[in-house]
């Protein structure tokens, strides 16, 4: 659905100025948007999964672990597909207050795309290089977004997410390296030309949400603080935005579930060419693993 059609509808929770900001800059920050009762429920469940991860020694399709993760000192990079692992995550993604935000920015008919919980552990939690979401999961149109929830307070030391304003109107960047291997990040030559000095680093108290467009260039720095930065991300799309790849259909039972309105009868096809991502039908861990593996591969070959 086009921004013009979306803005023509009355909003539910956002102001007109907030919606205009999202479409102009490609991102939005809503301070302490999620109520405390939701935060408490989500934190309790998240703590349970951190404890469960102590029994893991290797990453799999559920837990993505930092290399020095141990039972005594767990260090998680990601809980993949949280909505599949606990009903509380799915209740929040399908009926929580963020669904109203998705409707205000995507239109009356909204489908769920996927979820993930990025931990960015304290004392060195890994960076996420500049990238766009669209090359990971291209669609027939770009009415796709991700809503992140800070479960804890996040300041500048903790590696908050940064977004480059207006970058959603720039090119869809190639996220493969020059040797043809998927890097999960904007190529180094392209990254040098990005207006990174204009990036907005999105800090906030617990309950703050970040919203970014699927074409917005974004990333985050390492977490050098003594505090963990769990960010629960739920992605949504206009129902008329049809996925151009089969993944994550086979991985997430909630993928494409309509959470607001009705299923689309027509697909809107209104996007320029985009290089397809690799075939992840056999599994996918996280952007952390992809980018760090790519870094290690480069080190080994230089």
């Amino acid at each position: 659905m086009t921004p013009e059609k979306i803005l023509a509808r009355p909003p539910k929770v956002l102001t007109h100025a907030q919606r205009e900001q999202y479409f102009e800059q490609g991102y939005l920050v809503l301070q302490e948007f999620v109520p405390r009762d939701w935060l408490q429920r989500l934190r309790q469940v998240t703590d349970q999964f951190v404890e469960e991860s102590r029994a893991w020694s290797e990453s799999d399709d559920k837990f993505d672990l930092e290399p020095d993760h141990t039972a005594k000192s767990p260090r998680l990079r990601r809980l993949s597909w949280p909505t599949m692992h606990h009903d509380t995550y799915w209740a929040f993604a399908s009926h929580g207050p963020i669904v109203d935000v998705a409707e205000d920015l995507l239109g009356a008919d909204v489908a769920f795309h996927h979820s993930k919980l990025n931990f960015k552990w304290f004392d060195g939690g890994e960076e996420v290089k500049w990238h766009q979401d669209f090359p990971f999961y291209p669609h027939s149109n770009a009415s796709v977004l991700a809503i992140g929830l800070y479960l804890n307070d996040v300041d500048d030391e903790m590696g908050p997410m940064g977004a480059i304003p207006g970058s959603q109107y720039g090119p869809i960047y190639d996220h493969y390296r020059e040797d043809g291997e998927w890097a999960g990040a904007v190529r180094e030559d392209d990254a040098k030309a990005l207006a990174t000095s204009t990036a907005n680093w999105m800090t906030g108290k617990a309950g703050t949400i970040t919203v970014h467009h699927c074409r917005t260039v974004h990333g985050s720095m390492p977490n050098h603080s003594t505090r963990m930065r769990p960010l629960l991300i739920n992605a949504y799309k206009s129902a008329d935005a049809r996925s151009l790849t089969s993944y994550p259909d086979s991985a997430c039972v909630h993928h494409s579930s309509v959470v607001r309105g009705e299923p689309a009868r027509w697909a809107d096809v209104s996007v320029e060419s985009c290089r397809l991502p690799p075939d992840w039908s056999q599994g996918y861990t996280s952007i952390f693993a992809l980018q760090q593996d790519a870094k290690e591969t480069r080190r080994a070959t230089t």
Side-chain angles (χ1 to χ4, degrees), residues 89-197:
Y89 289 128
W90 177 236
F92 179 71
S94 57
H95 295 95
I98 61 172
V99 184
D100 287 333
V101 176
E103 181 179 349
D104 279 351
L105 299 175
L106 296 173
D109 302 320
V110 179
F112 177 79
H113 188 265
H114 76 279
S115 65
K116 53 202 172 194
L117 177 51
N118 293 340
F119 285 91
K120 196 174 282 286
W121 217 259
F122 54 81
D123 291 335
E126 294 167 358
E127 69 171 334
V128 175
K129 297 178 183 178
W130 296 113
H131 68 284
Q132 297 164 301
D133 292 341
F134 197 87
F136 286 78
Y137 41 87
H139 280 68
S140 62
N141 68 68
S143 192
V144 185
L145 56 75
I147 301 177
L149 166 63
Y150 286 144
L151 296 179
N152 297 337
D153 294 353
V154 175
D155 59 28
D156 288 325
E157 288 186 333
M158 299 170 71
M161 186 170 71
I164 299 177
S167 55
Q168 78 277 19
Y169 293 116
I172 300 175
Y173 289 99
D174 192 339
H175 284 46
Y176 286 84
R177 299 202 310 267
E178 288 77 0
D179 61 5
E181 292 296 318
W182 176 261
V186 174
R187 287 185 176 184
E188 292 183 7
D189 287 346
D190 290 328
K192 292 176 182 177
L194 292 172
T196 55
S197 62

Side-chain angles (χ1 to χ4, degrees), residues 50 53-54 66 68-76 121-122:
V50 173
S53 76
R54 294 177 186 273
E66 289 192 7
D68 51 353
H69 169 90
T70 64
K72 184 177 180 180
S73 179
R75 292 187 65 88
L76 289 172
W121 217 259
F122 54 81

Side-chain angles (χ1 to χ4, degrees), residues 59 63-67 69 75-79 117-121 125-126 285-286 288-290 292-293:
S59 298
F63 291 118
D64 180 30
L65 310 174
E66 289 192 7
H69 169 90
R75 292 187 65 88
L76 289 172
R77 290 192 290 206
R78 171 177 290 178
L79 170 64
L117 177 51
N118 293 340
F119 285 91
K120 196 174 282 286
W121 217 259
E126 294 167 358
T285 51
S286 76
F288 299 101
L290 287 168
Q292 295 304 317
D293 287 349

Side-chain angles (χ1 to χ4, degrees), residues 1-300:
M1 181 172 279
T2 65
E4 293 75 19
K5 290 181 179 178
I6 294 169
L7 290 172
R9 301 182 67 254
K12 288 203 166 183
V13 294
L14 299 180
T15 66
H16 184 69
Q18 287 171 329
R19 296 206 292 175
E20 284 189 325
Q21 178 187 336
Y22 169 78
F23 286 115
E24 289 173 3
Q25 298 188 354
Y27 62 88
L28 194 62
V29 183
L30 301 178
Q31 296 290 335
E32 300 179 79
F33 180 81
V34 173
R36 287 186 175 275
D37 59 338
W38 268 116
L39 275 178
Q40 184 176 2
R41 291 173 61 187
L42 292 166
R43 283 170 173 164
Q44 288 176 344
V45 173
T46 299
D47 288 344
Q48 293 172 17
F49 281 104
V50 173
E51 287 302 307
E52 181 184 347
S53 76
R54 294 177 186 273
W56 263 249
S57 59
E58 295 182 356
S59 298
D60 59 10
D61 57 2
K62 183 176 183 177
F63 291 118
D64 180 30
L65 310 174
E66 289 192 7
D68 51 353
H69 169 90
T70 64
K72 184 177 180 180
S73 179
R75 292 187 65 88
L76 289 172
R77 290 192 290 206
R78 171 177 290 178
L79 170 64
S80 301
W81 322 114
T83 61
M84 290 179 57
H85 299 305
H86 201 284
D87 290 344
T88 296
Y89 289 128
W90 177 236
F92 179 71
S94 57
H95 295 95
I98 61 172
V99 184
D100 287 333
V101 176
E103 181 179 349
D104 279 351
L105 299 175
L106 296 173
D109 302 320
V110 179
F112 177 79
H113 188 265
H114 76 279
S115 65
K116 53 202 172 194
L117 177 51
N118 293 340
F119 285 91
K120 196 174 282 286
W121 217 259
F122 54 81
D123 291 335
E126 294 167 358
E127 69 171 334
V128 175
K129 297 178 183 178
W130 296 113
H131 68 284
Q132 297 164 301
D133 292 341
F134 197 87
F136 286 78
Y137 41 87
H139 280 68
S140 62
N141 68 68
S143 192
V144 185
L145 56 75
I147 301 177
L149 166 63
Y150 286 144
L151 296 179
N152 297 337
D153 294 353
V154 175
D155 59 28
D156 288 325
E157 288 186 333
M158 299 170 71
M161 186 170 71
I164 299 177
S167 55
Q168 78 277 19
Y169 293 116
I172 300 175
Y173 289 99
D174 192 339
H175 284 46
Y176 286 84
R177 299 202 310 267
E178 288 77 0
D179 61 5
E181 292 296 318
W182 176 261
V186 174
R187 287 185 176 184
E188 292 183 7
D189 287 346
D190 290 328
K192 292 176 182 177
L194 292 172
T196 55
S197 62
T198 68
N200 178 25
W201 301 97
M202 294 177 269
T203 59
K205 296 287 188 180
T208 295
I209 65 170
T210 66
V211 188
H212 67 271
H213 189 276
C214 64
R215 289 181 56 161
T216 298
V217 178
H218 60 289
S220 63
M221 296 302 220
N223 180 4
H224 293 304
S225 77
T226 57
R227 292 150 290 152
M228 181 175 59
R229 193 222 68 178
L231 176 65
L232 176 62
I233 299 175
N234 288 287
Y236 301 90
K237 59 182 181 177
S238 296
D240 63 7
R242 312 306 289 181
S243 178
L244 301 183
T245 61
S246 60
Y247 195 77
D249 296 59
S250 58
C252 179
V253 296
H254 300 121
H255 177 71
S256 292
S257 297
V258 174
V259 294
R260 192 60 58 84
E262 302 293 334
R265 295 187 177 183
W266 295 83
D268 177 46
V269 182
S270 56
V271 71
E272 66 264 34
S273 298
C274 173
R275 190 172 182 180
L276 292 172
D279 177 10
W280 285 316
S281 60
Q282 300 304 310
Y284 173 81
T285 51
S286 76
I287 190 172
F288 299 101
L290 287 168
Q291 291 186 358
Q292 295 304 317
D293 287 349
K295 182 191 298 183
E296 293 305 318
T297 299
R298 287 198 299 277
R299 286 176 179 169

